[in-house]
Amino acid sequence: MFFLDKKKLYILTYDHGGFVLWGDRVKPRLRDLAVWMEKYPDLRIGLDYESFTFDEFMRQDPETVRMIAELLEKYPDRFGLGATTYGQPLSLFISEESNVRQLTYAVRTNLKYFGKTPSVYAISEFALNNQTPQLISQCGYEAAILRSHVMGYGYTKTFDSPWGRWIGKDLTEIPAVPTYHNQGRGFNCTTVDNWILSRWPVDSDLYSLENFEKMFSDYEPLLASRYDDLTQPIEEITAHTQKVDNYEYILLEDIPEIFGEATDELKTADNDFHAQMPWGYCGNEIFNGCRQGEVDALQGEKLNAFSVMLGGDSLESTSEEAWKYILAAQHHDVTICGLLDLSRRFIPESLRLSDKVKTESFSALSAKFASSNGESLLVVNPHSFDIDEWLEVPVDYSCCAYDADSELECENTVCNGKSILRVHVCLSPLTVKRYEIRKTAHESESDFCYHSENGVLTTPLYKVKFTEKGIAYIDCIADSQRIYDNEDGALFTAFIEDKECASSGKWRFDITAHSAKAVQEGMIGSIPYRFEMSFAGKRARIDCKARFEMHGEHVGRTDITQGRPVPLTRNGHHHEDKLCFVMNLCLDKNRRMVRDLPFAVSDWNGALLKPEEYWYPDDRILIDTEVSQEESFNSTTYMQGIYWIGLRDTEKGIAVFNKGCMGSAISGNTVRIPLLYSNLYMCGTRILDGVFEDEFALMPFNSSVSDIDIHKASMAYNYPPVAGVAAKGNGSLCEFSAASLNTKGSDVILTALYPENSAVLARFCNFSDNPASIEFTPSVGRVTAQTDLLGNETEKVTGNELSFRPWEIKTVMIEEV
């Protein structure tokens, strides 16, 4: 009788932790690991720490970093480094460039301290999206693990394959171990193997590694992977594995050689990455702060690139520190556990450093543009597309701005006791321009009018009817179409102290020559609020600000089981029960929902999709049936975009731009934007006390406005032109374009411009399903090479034409600056 050898079960185990949340437990665990490495000679284990950990411990406790280095040196084939992001973010909720820097700063920090970095991308919690294959390939990764091991806040598509080629949005392929069918998929759970490797034998009656082998007996090679908290008591499972001949521990870097050639296709789509966030948690303070930090970091380095191209000093080291602190603030535990002590340290420090970069770079630019005739208005368009914006600039006196002898649309106002010049500016891409300031101000007739008899505000574009409850409707004047109709519905709704509440208050209106502001002060339940809507010129966008004064009220619904509140359910994720801004849209039932994602714009067409392609509140992800258009339309769907979400039919639509709160609850044509949550929550209840503010914008549009037009408008809202007063001086420049840019009607957008290593790097993305080419000619220096995301040259570039695959991200180097 012959006995076949039992096939191997490969085991990958990495401690998930780091400075954030786990700081004082890191060193004791490292001591335990050192003991286990001697005690269990077959054990291989790694560290899934955010790379920020190494920078921070070098500041606070360098011995910890030395302990890690010693383990890596002593056990080079048995002890591994698994830090693949700088701040362990939930990557669907950070900007394009934050996604890049989370990867690049991790690689550089790992190399700085240890001379090595992981070759296979893997994560514990949800740092995955449909552009991940392209991003990690451009950072040198050889393979990936397409698993979110701990799925409290995100999970991905499963595959009936042990190993294959993960194919992302731009069709970049990278070998990957997927999440197997039935391995685990859904919020608030872990994969089966992660649970076993973290908790056996406590839950041995439920699952064991032997059960795991039987469940996936058809998969070869078979990988059981653990990326779970460093506090998990894993010694018993480690001791057990030493007694089983076919169990073999491996490290990340072992996977490509063991698994061999990847042949199966593992193709993902944008909506295969399901994620959730507790919008309104901590009054959105952390989410809004993280957005401001990444905006300021990106704006600062763009200004610095302009300055460098005109002979100024590079501030890349200061920019890097600004980025690092905001990347740490984007850590999933900071945002989902409400670690306010860390966020209130990281975010202000990042803003301080970015302000230094912005201030010094703007000052250097101002010196080049200063006019001998007096003070000037200096405006910088950091975008690769034209901007048409109303800007507000602090000034010391009433004045107006001139472009040569043409007076710009201007008006003077006072805000918080400070004199403000409000000016309408149109500017070409990547351009710095000086405008003359004259100490004169002209009154002109207003195009805005409020009719108190019927409560209607008329602007150049809209008619808006206001009531005590809120906004009854918004009509577009050009085509007489109603796009927003709340009838008698409230501006805000909320579940407060176990009661359904709606807002009510009184409006006042400030009308000037070129703008109008509607302000309502009122109450929702026991919560006072102030809401502003601002209209400017013929700008389609309507800017909104909301301010709430909280005194410990419970906001949001609490799940009850057997008569008792249960915090470990979906509290914090029922968005429609939070304090929400509410609007009902006038769209037909074939409307589609559109949103932006990292380096992507994606739509859900709202009809004939499987439920797994949506995120429904009841999480009906396992139903494998198509739904009717009616069911799809009426079901409540949670849709989230980084900068914007939009709903549109064939004729019209409306987009919501955000400055941090990226979620929405959509049912039919009712859209709710959650602004506050203050109730039981599984990762740390935070009852709000104080003043909390949110900013967002509404942009009605017609069929001529494309999805990419909406995306550009949202970028202009989040990254407004930089403007300020330049003192009198002897500068010679009136206008400077950093580059001649011809996008040839394509959807290619510049996403970053920054100095690095005596060069300037420019990054673009083709936001389109179609190939594209652009002409890009720097005004100073020349494009010499294409680089990866780490700035390493990948190929020479001659000429000024750059070609792009659909959804391709491309970085080029400008030298001789």
Side-chain angles (χ1 to χ4, degrees):
M1 181 177 293
F2 295 94
F3 293 92
L4 297 176
D5 288 337
K6 192 173 183 182
K7 68 182 181 184
K8 285 188 176 181
L9 171 64
Y10 295 103
I11 300 174
L12 186 82
T13 184
Y14 277 65
D15 268 2
H16 172 60
F19 176 82
V20 175
L21 194 65
W22 308 105
D24 59 352
R25 305 185 195 187
V26 168
K27 190 179 286 185
R29 182 66 161 202
L30 291 172
R31 294 192 184 107
D32 287 341
L33 293 177
V35 171
W36 296 345
M37 295 301 287
E38 292 295 322
K39 188 175 180 180
Y40 305 108
D42 292 331
L43 174 64
R44 294 183 179 184
I45 194 167
L47 303 179
D48 173 39
Y49 293 178
E50 71 274 357
S51 297
F52 171 76
T53 294
F54 314 133
D55 277 335
E56 189 62 16
F57 274 128
M58 283 303 291
R59 286 186 280 262
Q60 296 192 20
D61 184 7
E63 183 187 4
T64 302
V65 180
R66 287 196 292 270
M67 290 172 68
I68 296 170
E70 288 168 2
L71 285 167
L72 289 167
E73 183 177 0
K74 186 174 182 179
Y75 304 104
D77 299 322
R78 294 179 53 209
F79 193 79
L81 194 62
T84 57
T85 59
Y86 188 79
Q88 293 196 23
L90 301 173
S91 69
L92 280 174
F93 305 110
I94 60 176
S95 72
E96 286 94 348
E97 203 54 31
S98 286
N99 267 277
V100 171
R101 305 310 171 91
Q102 288 283 1
L103 296 169
T104 59
Y105 288 144
V107 171
R108 290 170 177 171
T109 304
N110 298 342
L111 293 172
K112 173 182 176 181
Y113 292 112
F114 309 115
K116 63 185 302 183
T117 194
S119 60
V120 175
Y121 183 79
I123 47 89
S124 173
E125 302 190 46
F126 207 62
L128 300 167
N129 60 71
N130 203 28
Q131 286 282 33
T132 298
Q134 182 177 189
L135 293 170
I136 62 177
S137 293
Q138 290 197 35
C139 288
Y141 286 95
E142 299 173 17
I145 296 182
L146 182 50
R147 295 178 183 174
S148 184
H149 293 81
V150 179
M151 294 176 282
Y153 291 82
Y155 60 90
T156 189
K157 183 178 181 179
T158 63
F159 293 89
D160 185 20
S161 171
W163 173 243
R165 296 173 288 116
W166 178 10
I167 304 172
K169 189 175 185 70
D170 78 313
L171 304 184
T172 291
E173 301 180 359
I174 191 164
V177 181
T179 309
Y180 312 138
H181 285 340
N182 302 315
Q183 187 182 359
R185 180 171 179 261
F187 297 122
N188 299 327
C189 65
T190 79
T191 54
V192 172
D193 46 342
N194 185 90
W195 189 270
I196 297 166
L197 291 167
S198 298
R199 294 161 178 86
W200 190 92
V202 175
D203 290 314
S204 57
D205 291 339
L206 181 62
Y207 288 117
S208 67
L209 282 176
E210 288 74 15
N211 295 136
F212 181 79
E213 287 180 282
K214 292 176 183 177
M215 290 172 66
F216 303 103
S217 59
D218 292 337
Y219 289 69
E220 188 173 7
L222 178 62
L223 179 70
S225 59
R226 164 192 168 266
Y227 262 63
D228 210 336
D229 296 346
L230 57 80
T231 53
Q232 297 293 351
I234 65 169
E235 187 173 7
E236 284 194 71
I237 186 70
T238 302
H240 171 71
T241 59
Q242 307 296 295
K243 304 171 187 176
V244 183
D245 290 340
N246 67 307
Y247 292 172
E248 181 178 333
Y249 281 96
I250 62 174
L251 297 176
L252 288 173
E253 47 265 37
D254 301 322
I255 289 176
E257 182 177 351
I258 290 172
F259 280 55
E261 183 182 358
T263 56
D264 293 352
E265 283 194 359
L266 311 176
K267 190 161 187 176
T268 55
D270 292 334
N271 297 325
D272 289 333
F273 298 86
H274 300 247
Q276 64 179 3
M277 282 291 253
W279 304 121
Y281 184 47
C282 297
N284 280 330
E285 173 186 327
I286 300 175
F287 303 132
N288 295 342
C290 285
R291 170 64 56 77
Q292 187 61 55
E294 64 186 4
V295 163
D296 280 18
L298 191 67
Q299 292 281 67
E301 65 184 17
K302 280 187 173 181
L303 279 179
N304 191 222
F306 279 64
S307 173
V308 167
M309 295 178 82
L310 287 173
D313 294 332
S314 172
L315 303 174
E316 59 186 284
S317 60
T318 307
S319 285
E320 178 176 319
E321 287 303 301
W323 269 114
K324 284 185 171 182
Y325 277 110
I326 208 61
L327 298 177
Q330 292 169 344
H331 190 289
H332 62 274
D333 285 327
V334 174
T335 56
I336 67 177
C337 296
L339 304 183
L340 289 164
D341 58 332
L342 294 182
S343 71
R344 289 173 180 173
R345 177 193 155 203
F346 295 161
I347 295 171
E349 182 63 10
S350 177
L351 293 174
R352 182 188 70 81
L353 291 163
S354 290
D355 183 67
K356 176 179 173 63
V357 175
K358 290 169 66 176
T359 300
E360 292 185 12
S361 299
F362 191 83
S363 178
L365 286 172
S366 297
K368 301 289 184 180
F369 286 81
S371 170
S372 59
N373 296 327
E375 291 183 322
S376 306
L377 174 66
L378 192 67
V379 182
V380 184
N381 175 14
H383 297 291
S384 58
F385 46 84
D386 294 340
I387 58 101
D388 182 342
E389 282 290 321
W390 280 86
L391 308 178
E392 294 189 349
V393 184
V395 292
D396 294 329
Y397 44 82
S398 293
C399 57
C400 56
Y402 282 77
D403 183 3
D405 289 326
S406 298
E407 183 179 354
L408 303 182
E409 289 182 302
C410 296
E411 60 186 25
N412 290 267
T413 186
V414 176
C415 181
N416 297 323
K418 296 181 179 179
S419 182
I420 300 293
L421 171 65
R422 187 179 291 134
V423 57
H424 181 210
V425 172
C426 298
L427 207 55
S428 301
L430 301 175
T431 295
V432 186
K433 187 166 183 177
R434 173 172 59 83
Y435 300 91
E436 182 184 352
I437 290 179
R438 298 181 185 176
K439 293 184 180 180
T440 56
H442 305 289
E443 293 292 333
S444 55
E445 188 173 335
S446 179
D447 291 327
F448 297 78
C449 181
Y450 176 66
H451 306 275
S452 57
E453 66 278 8
N454 60 5
V456 173
L457 173 70
T458 301
T459 82
L461 299 180
Y462 307 117
K463 285 186 177 180
V464 188
K465 181 174 177 62
F466 297 88
T467 69
E468 284 191 358
K469 289 187 175 181
I471 304 167
Y473 63 76
I474 299 178
D475 289 347
C476 287
I477 290 176
D479 54 15
S480 300
Q481 291 211 64
R482 181 155 297 179
I483 54 158
Y484 175 122
D485 193 348
N486 272 20
E487 298 179 348
D488 284 333
L491 189 67
F492 302 108
T493 60
F495 205 74
I496 303 173
E497 301 294 353
D498 296 328
K499 293 182 180 179
E500 292 184 0
C501 301
S503 61
S504 181
K506 293 186 177 180
W507 291 94
R508 64 176 174 82
F509 298 86
D510 298 326
I511 307 295
T512 66
H514 300 292
S515 66
K517 180 182 290 185
V519 179
Q520 187 185 58
E521 294 184 343
M523 301 287 292
I524 177 166
S526 60
I527 301 172
Y529 69 85
R530 185 179 191 273
F531 178 71
E532 296 180 8
M533 295 184 80
S534 298
F535 305 81
K538 296 181 179 180
R539 183 183 67 192
R541 192 184 77 224
I542 305 168
D543 291 350
C544 303
K545 294 182 181 180
R547 179 183 185 275
F548 302 94
E549 187 177 327
M550 302 291 294
H551 300 284
E553 294 89 348
H554 287 80
V555 178
R557 197 180 297 271
T558 303
D559 287 340
I560 304 293
T561 299
Q562 295 180 345
R564 300 177 61 189
V566 183
L568 292 176
T569 55
R570 288 194 289 271
N571 292 331
H573 301 295
H574 287 300
H575 300 313
E576 59 269 36
D577 299 322
K578 300 175 182 179
L579 200 163
C580 294
F581 175 79
V582 183
M583 57 183 181
N584 293 294
L585 308 181
C586 303
L587 303 174
D588 58 42
K589 288 189 177 181
N590 70 352
R591 59 103 171 103
R592 59 188 179 93
M593 297 180 283
V594 195
R595 60 176 177 160
D596 76 313
L597 297 167
F599 293 104
V601 172
S602 180
D603 73 330
W604 302 343
N605 66 19
L608 303 180
L609 290 178
K610 295 179 181 179
E612 65 179 12
E613 294 176 293
Y614 284 79
W615 171 20
Y616 288 114
D618 56 2
D619 208 20
R620 293 178 291 154
I621 61 171
L622 300 180
I623 302 173
D624 193 24
T625 58
E626 292 186 342
V627 298
S628 67
Q629 183 176 3
E630 187 73 20
E631 181 182 359
S632 172
F633 181 79
N634 291 321
S635 296
T636 298
T637 303
Y638 294 158
M639 185 168 69
Q640 305 173 99
I642 299 172
Y643 295 117
W644 63 277
I645 59 112
L647 278 77
R648 65 184 307 159
D649 59 22
T650 56
E651 294 184 351
K652 60 187 178 301
I654 191 166
V656 181
F657 303 157
N658 75 82
K659 290 200 173 182
C661 178
M662 302 172 238
S664 61
I666 299 170
S667 179
N669 275 330
T670 300
V671 179
R672 288 181 169 84
I673 308 300
L675 302 177
L676 291 181
Y677 177 75
S678 179
N679 216 321
L680 293 182
Y681 174 63
M682 63 184 179
C683 290
T685 298
R686 302 286 183 266
I687 301 301
L688 301 179
D689 187 6
V691 173
F692 298 88
E693 298 180 335
D694 273 293
E695 293 186 43
F696 56 94
L698 311 178
M699 194 184 90
F701 56 86
N702 59 34
S703 59
S704 67
V705 177
S706 69
D707 293 345
I708 197 64
D709 291 334
I710 300 171
H711 187 63
K712 290 177 181 178
S714 76
M715 297 296 287
Y717 171 69
N718 271 278
Y719 298 85
V722 179
V725 174
K728 181 178 179 180
N730 297 315
S732 60
L733 292 177
C734 182
E735 184 171 344
F736 169 74
S737 292
S740 171
L741 182 63
N742 179 7
T743 59
K744 301 181 179 180
S746 72
D747 294 332
V748 174
I749 295 176
L750 178 89
T751 61
L753 184 73
Y754 55 101
E756 186 172 282
N757 296 331
S758 302
V760 170
L761 298 183
R763 185 148 39 249
F764 299 87
C765 180
N766 178 18
F767 285 81
S768 172
D769 290 323
N770 301 311
S773 64
I774 65 171
E775 292 175 358
F776 178 64
T777 308
S779 299
V780 179
R782 60 189 182 89
V783 174
T784 59
Q786 182 178 330
T787 75
D788 60 17
L789 294 178
L790 294 164
N792 300 313
E793 182 179 320
T794 56
E795 62 179 81
K796 294 289 186 184
V797 173
T798 57
N800 61 357
E801 185 160 327
L802 303 176
S803 298
F804 295 80
R805 302 187 310 273
W807 304 104
E808 183 181 10
I809 302 161
K810 182 170 287 190
T811 308
V812 295
M813 179 184 294
I814 305 168
E815 292 188 289
E816 299 175 10
V817 174

